[in-house]
Amino acid sequence: MSNEHLHAKHEAMTNVIYATPGMLPNRYVFVVTNLCNLKCRFCFQARDKRADAMRLEDWLNVARQLPSYARVTLTGGEPLMFPGFKELFVHVAERFDCNMITNGLLLDEQTIDLLLEHPKFRVLSISMDGLNNKSRGVSEGQWQRVEAMLRYFVERKAATGSNCVLDIKALILDENAESLFELYRHCVEEIGCNSFAFQLLKGSSMQHADVMYPFDDIFKESPAPVYKNFPEILRQLKRVREYSLKTGTKAFLHPKVASLMSDADIGDIDYINRRTFPQERFLPCRAPWSSIHINVDGDVFPCLAVPMGNVKTMPLEKIIHGEAFSRFKETIRERGEVAACNRCGWLKPAPPDATVLPRSDVV
């Protein structure tokens, strides 16, 4: 199943869940560990070793509570640092469509073979931000090994007839602005990735964090980082678009303020490079109905790191249909987004001819 089909399937299910009271979400993000073997300066994760971290049996118990239509993302931190990763992966991948987000440093042939043995494993996503990934503190030797493992993944995928997608995710930085296209081309031509996603820096530390915040913090102004090299970033993205059209390879921009696979020019997207949140430019969000995160300590949160309840002490369904989650969803239903949604990758721009009324971000 291609990325486009997975996305279409998720969108269709999101619409059903939004319109059907009582349904559980369809996407579950397991933050299996907040530990990581890198210390990226732009990371919002705390990465502190926690005495209350979920153990393998805790995660298996969560997986047993998921609906049959669930899709599971295994992430971290670095998910391959979780001691029970292989056991958890097998349990999940035998039952649900799933994917993993990793920096790739701990991939080996045995792990790759295990991933590809399971037809329900749909996407392997690798995080990188430049050739050799130097912005993340990766040595040349480490990166050569990562590339070797990715090539092994592509070879084994072809040999086994797997439809699993190799996806590369790159965070856009001022430091890598001039090399975005070369990174994309290298990953397509030299590694053989199936899709590539460019992610703009988030506008709030509350987005997908491993540290919880008070509910009312979602309304506080959350300035997004402003790129100094935005004209160069736009130039590079236009080169990516031209290449993707020419070769048929898949490229995405998050938030999706422009298509990198369309005949239409990228156009003016300077509004996304502001500290303030241009909320009127986006459609109301439905992500809280379709997607939840389970943190390393068992805290459940939607997308913004506001605790809804803990799976170690409460059934998952009771948390999702509980008072805290209902309050969050009603807030998003009324407002469309809140201040902490600034530059979230899940934002969807309103069509040019649509009328999206300004909405207040203050209590």
Side-chain angles (χ1 to χ4, degrees):
M1 187 179 291
S2 68
N3 256 2
E4 299 95 291
H5 288 122
L6 290 171
H7 180 72
K9 181 180 177 182
H10 175 74
E11 287 295 299
M13 183 60 75
T14 294
N15 291 333
V16 171
I17 293 170
Y18 184 80
T20 310
M23 280 192 74
L24 294 175
N26 61 308
R27 178 176 180 262
Y28 297 81
V29 180
F30 287 12
V31 185
V32 297
T33 179
N34 64 336
L35 300 180
C36 187
N37 47 357
L38 294 176
K39 294 183 179 180
C40 306
R41 63 167 180 78
F42 41 76
C43 181
F44 288 148
Q45 303 294 86
R47 299 191 298 267
D48 294 329
K49 190 170 185 179
R50 302 182 61 156
D52 59 354
M54 297 259 283
R55 300 180 183 274
L56 174 60
E57 187 53 41
D58 296 319
W59 286 112
L60 295 177
N61 182 51
V62 174
R64 295 184 189 109
Q65 300 178 59
L66 302 184
S68 60
Y69 53 80
R71 176 181 174 87
V72 178
T73 296
L74 300 173
T75 185
E78 171 48 52
L80 292 176
M81 291 186 70
F82 178 63
F85 174 82
K86 291 183 179 180
E87 294 88 342
L88 176 60
F89 169 78
V90 170
H91 182 89
V92 168
E94 287 180 348
R95 294 163 176 79
F96 309 106
D97 286 350
C98 65
N99 60 294
M100 177 172 67
I101 303 173
T102 171
N103 59 42
L105 289 174
L106 298 178
L107 282 174
D108 55 31
E109 293 183 359
Q110 182 184 30
T111 301
I112 289 171
D113 290 342
L114 176 67
L115 299 177
L116 291 174
E117 283 174 11
H118 292 80
K120 287 182 177 292
F121 181 63
R122 302 297 191 183
V123 183
L124 174 62
S125 291
I126 304 294
S127 301
M128 66 172 73
D129 305 313
L131 298 175
N132 296 326
N133 232 7
K134 290 181 180 179
S135 63
R136 293 178 180 257
V138 177
S139 71
E140 184 174 348
Q142 286 176 310
W143 185 245
Q144 287 177 352
R145 184 181 179 281
V146 171
E147 288 212 7
M149 287 300 99
L150 296 183
R151 291 190 181 98
Y152 178 79
F153 179 88
V154 172
E155 292 170 2
R156 293 299 302 154
K157 190 165 80 83
T160 59
S162 171
N163 292 322
C164 184
V165 170
L166 175 58
D167 175 61
I168 305 294
K169 297 185 180 301
L171 191 63
I172 297 176
L173 306 166
D174 277 322
E175 295 91 323
N176 67 12
E178 295 182 357
S179 60
L180 293 174
F181 172 74
E182 284 305 317
L183 173 61
Y184 172 60
R185 185 199 60 77
H186 176 83
C187 290
V188 171
E189 296 182 5
E190 303 300 327
I191 295 178
C193 73
N194 304 108
S195 63
F196 197 107
F198 293 95
Q199 175 71 57
L200 291 163
L201 286 164
K202 294 187 292 186
S204 171
S205 59
M206 292 185 70
Q207 296 171 18
H208 317 125
D210 65 333
V211 177
M212 298 297 106
Y213 293 76
F215 182 90
D216 285 347
D217 281 8
I218 68 176
F219 304 110
K220 293 181 179 179
E221 184 179 351
S222 183
V226 175
Y227 290 95
K228 297 177 182 178
N229 293 339
F230 201 66
E232 178 60 25
I233 290 169
L234 286 180
R235 193 178 77 84
Q236 293 283 321
L237 291 177
K238 289 177 180 179
R239 293 184 67 190
V240 168
R241 172 184 160 274
E242 292 170 0
Y243 182 90
S244 71
L245 288 173
K246 179 180 178 180
T247 62
T249 51
K250 310 302 180 185
F252 305 93
L253 177 63
H254 300 290
K256 192 180 177 181
V257 292
S259 173
L260 302 182
M261 298 184 298
S262 169
D263 289 334
D265 188 54
I266 289 178
D268 180 13
I269 59 171
D270 285 352
Y271 67 87
I272 201 62
N273 191 38
R274 299 176 186 169
R275 291 175 61 82
T276 55
F277 180 26
Q279 188 179 351
E280 70 280 359
R281 303 295 295 262
F282 296 96
L283 295 173
C285 182
R286 295 185 176 185
W289 285 261
S290 64
S291 178
I292 66 167
H293 290 65
I294 297 97
N295 197 25
V296 61
D297 63 349
D299 276 344
V300 174
F301 63 99
C303 37
L304 300 177
V306 177
M308 303 286 120
N310 193 289
V311 291
K312 287 193 260 184
T313 58
M314 295 175 64
L316 183 61
E317 185 170 2
K318 186 174 182 180
I319 295 172
I320 293 171
H321 296 319
E323 182 179 346
F325 222 125
S326 295
R327 180 189 179 195
F328 185 88
K329 288 191 287 190
E330 285 309 307
T331 298
I332 299 301
R333 190 190 295 273
E334 292 172 4
R335 296 170 178 264
E337 299 88 16
V338 290
C341 300
N342 194 1
R343 209 184 281 166
C344 171
W346 286 68
L347 291 173
K348 296 177 182 176
D353 57 346
T355 301
V356 180
L357 297 178
R359 292 154 290 191
S360 173
D361 273 339
V362 295
V363 180

